[in-house]
Amino acid sequence: MTLSPTALLPGVRSATVDTDRIRMHYLDSGPADGTPIIMVHGNLSTSRFFEHLMPELPQYRVIAPDMRCFGDSEPAPVDATRGLADWADDVFALVRALGIDEPPHLVGWSTAGAAIARYAMDRPVASLTLLDPVSPYGYGGVRADGTPCFPDFAGSGAGTVNPELVRRITAGDDSDESPLSVRNVFNAFYVAPGHRESPEREDLLVSEILKTVTGEANYPGDLATSPNWPGMAPGTSGLLNALSPKYCNWAGIVDLDPKPPVLWTHGSADLVVADGSSLELGTLGASGTVPNWPGPDVFPPQPMVSQIREVLERYAQAGGTVRTEFFDGSGHAPHLDAREKWLAVFTEFLTST
């Protein structure tokens, strides 16, 4: 049977619930009394980026919400000054609304890595799975030790996104006519080179990305100018500002007590979260793509993977358990382009906790 682009996989349910924060849409699978796993998607994606995994975990109750800014949840604003705390609090509100009374296993992809870390810093969790997470020191404008290149964190936030991408999302562009069309961005930056989802699945995921709520309160956020290179600094609202190192920092997990087990999975060919990511201003400046780069002493490329590794090493040295798995050749989404291998690692981790 060929599924239509909007049909859910067998065993996966769709629902909406009013929490005490926002109205949230989510996918659900498995028994109501199963051990809860909550899979939180990242930037420019939705719950359906996890849908294909859910039937493979039948003994668990797997819940994948649409986070504010994305999917079919209420289009609520993001207070960037709280980092990813709005997302963390929304997940907890969903947990309460669904009557889940045990600490869940949390999976956080990309942006959501910071959100689930923040959740764990505020309340108990059974485990944390960091799936190609944003650096513990946010995205852009910092040195290796997490200190800012400039006091105002210039070079991070909403101003760093190409406005043509935002325009095409707002216009609902599902074509492949431009490198900045969502379809081409998905194939270039989400998955490994040469990997293609089925045509139906690709259409579905592109349509889900196009549900992104654009604007100053959501994606990418409000803009702020700066006297420092490259001329912009983070504003105070919207998702990309929430990812700025000015507000986003999850290195505090090192001090958790007790420390939940951590699984870190990462694609070796990830272009989004990488040492020298091709989307980060230090790398773009060094390559000449963004002119007038002040040089590596002032604004070095951000070593994102090295920063993740350093923080998780300190977590382990402080008594935590950390498992690290790199997926050779995978991109920013090994749960898509290395599905079976990623599932095997994740299920083994779950049974060992």
Side-chain angles (χ1 to χ4, degrees):
M1 180 182 70
T2 301
L3 295 173
S4 72
T6 57
L8 291 170
L9 294 174
V12 180
R13 304 174 291 271
S14 172
T16 301
V17 65
D18 288 317
T19 76
D20 57 17
R21 287 177 56 79
I22 63 170
R23 185 178 65 257
M24 297 189 74
H25 171 260
Y26 63 97
L27 301 183
D28 194 358
S29 68
D33 60 352
T35 299
I37 300 172
I38 301 178
M39 295 184 162
V40 188
H41 66 78
N43 185 19
L44 296 180
S45 58
T46 72
S47 58
R48 298 201 74 170
F49 281 72
F50 289 123
E51 177 190 0
H52 62 299
L53 305 178
M54 298 172 75
E56 306 300 323
L57 299 161
Q59 70 272 42
Y60 297 94
R61 183 179 185 187
V62 186
I63 298 163
D66 288 344
M67 304 308 295
R68 60 173 70 200
C69 294
F70 302 108
D72 297 318
S73 288
E74 180 180 350
V78 174
D79 180 354
T81 66
R82 304 185 70 227
L84 272 295
D86 272 351
W87 275 25
D89 292 349
D90 288 346
V91 172
F92 187 48
L94 179 63
V95 166
R96 294 195 305 272
L98 297 180
I100 297 171
D101 58 6
E102 63 179 291
H105 296 275
L106 297 182
V107 179
W109 175 32
S110 192
T111 293
I116 67 167
R118 176 58 185 262
Y119 186 111
M121 286 189 275
D122 292 336
R123 50 192 72 90
V125 301
S127 72
L128 294 173
T129 295
L130 301 167
L131 174 53
D132 292 62
V134 65
S135 163
Y137 304 114
Y139 204 96
V142 289
R143 304 176 183 279
D145 63 358
T147 57
C149 298
F150 295 109
D152 63 353
F153 293 84
S156 67
T160 64
V161 70
N162 191 312
E164 178 66 10
L165 172 62
V166 180
R167 187 191 71 78
R168 288 181 177 272
I169 292 171
T170 305
D173 173 27
D174 63 358
S175 75
D176 60 1
E177 69 178 22
S178 164
L180 291 168
S181 296
V182 163
R183 188 177 302 274
N184 290 332
V185 169
F186 171 78
N187 285 306
F189 290 101
Y190 287 50
V191 294
H195 174 86
R196 292 298 290 261
E197 297 287 304
S198 69
E200 296 80 11
R201 175 79 172 157
E202 181 176 301
D203 285 347
L204 167 65
L205 297 181
V206 167
S207 69
E208 289 294 299
I209 296 171
L210 291 173
K211 292 179 179 179
T212 299
V213 181
T214 56
E216 291 191 347
N218 296 106
Y219 180 87
D222 62 332
L223 306 179
T225 60
S226 171
N228 300 308
W229 187 87
M232 84 283 287
T236 60
S237 64
L239 192 67
L240 292 193
N241 290 321
L243 284 167
S244 165
K246 185 174 183 178
Y247 311 119
C248 177
N249 188 314
W250 56 267
I253 67 166
V254 171
D255 300 321
L256 285 178
D257 183 20
K259 289 179 166 57
V262 171
L263 170 64
W264 172 30
T265 65
H266 213 97
S268 69
D270 188 346
L271 299 177
V272 178
V273 178
D275 288 357
S277 166
S278 58
L279 300 180
E280 186 267 329
L281 267 294
T283 303
L284 291 170
S287 70
T289 304
V290 177
N292 302 317
W293 179 53
D297 292 338
V298 176
F299 202 113
Q302 183 181 355
M304 301 177 186
V305 170
S306 296
Q307 290 172 332
I308 298 167
R309 181 176 291 110
E310 186 272 334
V311 167
L312 293 182
E313 285 176 351
R314 288 197 283 121
Y315 187 86
Q317 291 165 3
T321 299
V322 178
R323 176 175 176 177
T324 299
E325 293 285 345
F326 270 67
F327 292 82
D328 188 35
S330 282
H332 189 54
H335 63 303
L336 297 180
D337 61 32
R339 170 185 168 274
E340 292 185 3
K341 291 181 180 178
W342 189 88
L343 262 173
V345 169
F346 179 59
T347 54
E348 183 181 321
F349 171 71
L350 289 175
T351 57
S352 69
T353 57

